Amino acid sequence: MARPRDRLPRLLVAIRALLFWSLVYCYCGLCASFYLLKLLWSIGTGPTQTFRRAARDHPPAGLNDPSLGTHCYVRIKDSGLRFHYVAAGERGKPLMLLLHGFPEFWYSWRYQLREFKSEYRVVALDLRGCGETDAPIHRENYKLDCLITDIKDILDFLGYSKCVLIGHDWGGMIAWLIAICYPEMVMKLVVLNFPHPNVFTEYILRHPAQLFKSSYYYFFQIPWFPEFMFSINDFKALKHLFTSHSTGIGRKGCRLTTEDLEAYIYVFSQPGALSGPINHYRNIFSCLPLKHHMVITPTLLLWGEKDAFMEAEMADVTKIYVKNYFRLTVLSEASHWLQQEQPDIVNKLIWTFLKEETRKKD
């Protein structure tokens, strides 16, 4: 009797894994079918427009605005990759490291580069495969372990052993992982619009609404087709993300200027520029949930109430994974793109968090 009883837990794990991967691949197929229909409709209604792409030979002036900081590059010895970042503030000041989301790059932190340089060495990084940072070809090079190691290597190169770590969206995911794996590196953690990774994986399996909002995670598992869909109609999908009423920036805050939008399109219209960012998502289902998941760093979680991609209920559940000071602030009527849409409010909340004494929870 002992032997069948011992096999039961392993059998349940195997069945759960089978069901999970069946869900992943079935939903991938559904998403691919949906976007294929969109493509066929676009070709049928306007074939010339579908494949039109404007020439963008020169970067918009805003990308070289000296008030945002200095463009720097570093080649990491172990990985061999060259990373790009923009730095503001004096060397030697405490480090504030900013990690962007998708589809973004360092420029999404332009308001914070200006704001915090008075007291911090502020570094807005282009993540692996994004912006001007090198983009390895193979999806295996974008596993979460690689992304975590990148941040540790960047800190070592900059000459710091710890930092204030701030991440938005996918950059928030990486920030959570850094705080979990290397708590000694993070003085304080600020995350915008991304829950603790375990909350996300548990919630998405139990709530169809979040499964639908995260459909792009599944669509991105398909080779090359997502990149192609983003590029048709002169990157209409990218423009839609930032400007539409349902998902865009600017309900009750700053709106993207024409130059801001062109900065994004310019960066992602470069040859191969979409594959790196999308490859980040192509390993996620094999890396989550986490085996180690507790956060012992003082944490501020900022959340846009009207986030089109993340259910707000996940934000409150996140507190059970933080065994230290934890504050959640939900911004009413704010969208997913918090630091760009409501920079004054976000900056003020971050300043308050950085300056206050935080006591560890009992």
Side-chain angles (χ1 to χ4, degrees), residues 64-168:
N64 294 309
D65 184 347
S67 72
L68 296 178
T70 304
H71 290 260
C72 307
Y73 300 86
V74 51
R75 188 170 296 279
I76 301 300
K77 183 177 179 180
D78 290 342
S79 68
L81 299 179
R82 190 185 77 158
F83 284 79
H84 169 254
Y85 63 92
V86 174
E90 296 176 9
R91 298 177 186 271
K93 289 182 177 180
L95 177 65
M96 176 182 286
L97 185 60
L98 308 174
L99 309 179
H100 63 80
F102 175 88
E104 297 173 297
F105 61 112
W106 72 265
Y107 190 69
S108 69
W109 298 108
R110 56 197 177 279
Y111 296 107
Q112 288 68 44
L113 283 162
R114 292 190 182 105
E115 177 69 21
F116 293 102
K117 66 182 180 181
S118 60
E119 294 190 23
Y120 289 88
R121 175 69 169 173
V122 188
V123 171
L125 181 68
D126 277 343
L127 296 174
R128 174 184 290 230
C130 303
E132 293 186 58
T133 291
D134 286 349
I137 297 174
H138 301 294
R139 61 186 290 174
E140 291 77 15
N141 296 121
Y142 295 86
K143 290 183 177 179
L144 294 178
D145 288 347
C146 298
L147 307 181
I148 294 168
T149 301
D150 287 344
I151 305 306
K152 187 176 183 297
D153 289 342
I154 291 294
L155 245 69
D156 290 342
F157 170 81
L158 294 173
Y160 288 86
S161 60
K162 56 186 177 180
C163 67
V164 171
L165 186 60
I166 304 180
H168 169 249

Side-chain angles (χ1 to χ4, degrees), residues 66-344:
S67 72
L68 296 178
T70 304
H71 290 260
C72 307
Y73 300 86
V74 51
R75 188 170 296 279
I76 301 300
K77 183 177 179 180
D78 290 342
S79 68
L81 299 179
R82 190 185 77 158
F83 284 79
H84 169 254
Y85 63 92
V86 174
E90 296 176 9
R91 298 177 186 271
K93 289 182 177 180
L95 177 65
M96 176 182 286
L97 185 60
L98 308 174
L99 309 179
H100 63 80
F102 175 88
E104 297 173 297
F105 61 112
W106 72 265
Y107 190 69
S108 69
W109 298 108
R110 56 197 177 279
Y111 296 107
Q112 288 68 44
L113 283 162
R114 292 190 182 105
E115 177 69 21
F116 293 102
K117 66 182 180 181
S118 60
E119 294 190 23
Y120 289 88
R121 175 69 169 173
V122 188
V123 171
L125 181 68
D126 277 343
L127 296 174
R128 174 184 290 230
C130 303
E132 293 186 58
T133 291
D134 286 349
I137 297 174
H138 301 294
R139 61 186 290 174
E140 291 77 15
N141 296 121
Y142 295 86
K143 290 183 177 179
L144 294 178
D145 288 347
C146 298
L147 307 181
I148 294 168
T149 301
D150 287 344
I151 305 306
K152 187 176 183 297
D153 289 342
I154 291 294
L155 245 69
D156 290 342
F157 170 81
L158 294 173
Y160 288 86
S161 60
K162 56 186 177 180
C163 67
V164 171
L165 186 60
I166 304 180
H168 169 249
D169 183 68
W170 184 258
M173 158 81 88
I174 299 172
W176 282 115
L177 297 176
I178 292 292
I180 292 166
C181 298
Y182 297 102
E184 71 280 1
M185 287 171 44
V186 186
M187 294 184 289
K188 289 193 174 183
L189 174 67
V190 182
V191 178
L192 287 72
N193 284 80
F194 201 94
H196 185 284
N198 276 19
V199 173
F200 179 70
T201 53
E202 292 165 6
Y203 192 92
I204 196 173
L205 293 174
R206 297 174 182 171
H207 296 81
Q210 183 58 53
L211 187 68
F212 177 75
K213 289 183 176 182
S214 300
S215 59
Y216 61 98
Y217 277 68
Y218 298 86
F219 179 51
F220 288 171
Q221 305 310 306
I222 303 165
W224 70 263
F225 190 44
E227 290 93 323
F228 177 71
M229 288 301 295
F230 262 101
S231 67
I232 64 172
N233 291 302
D234 196 31
F235 297 90
K236 182 179 178 180
L238 187 64
K239 298 172 187 176
H240 183 271
L241 277 176
F242 288 117
T243 61
S244 72
H245 178 73
S246 59
T247 65
I249 296 172
R251 284 188 180 87
K252 286 192 174 181
C254 297
R255 292 183 179 274
L256 283 187
T257 65
T258 301
E259 187 177 79
D260 290 336
L261 187 58
E262 272 302 311
Y264 279 98
I265 298 171
Y266 171 79
V267 166
F268 288 106
S269 66
Q270 301 307 301
L274 283 163
S275 292
I278 292 175
N279 276 336
H280 280 249
Y281 291 86
R282 287 179 169 141
N283 291 288
I284 189 170
F285 293 115
S286 60
C287 298
L288 296 176
L290 306 173
K291 294 180 181 178
H292 306 288
H293 49 251
M294 300 313 298
V295 176
I296 61 172
T297 304
T299 301
L300 172 65
L301 178 59
L302 301 178
W303 204 274
E305 184 183 39
K306 302 298 183 181
D307 190 327
F309 308 103
M310 294 284 172
E311 293 276 290
E313 287 78 5
M314 290 189 289
D316 190 57
V317 181
T318 289
K319 65 186 177 186
I320 68 175
Y321 289 99
V322 181
K323 299 302 181 184
N324 203 315
Y325 176 92
F326 176 80
R327 174 180 291 179
L328 167 64
T329 301
V330 179
L331 280 66
S332 63
E333 298 302 317
S335 75
H336 180 73
W337 319 98
L338 275 185
Q339 78 273 27
Q340 300 185 74
E341 181 179 281
Q342 299 197 12
D344 293 340

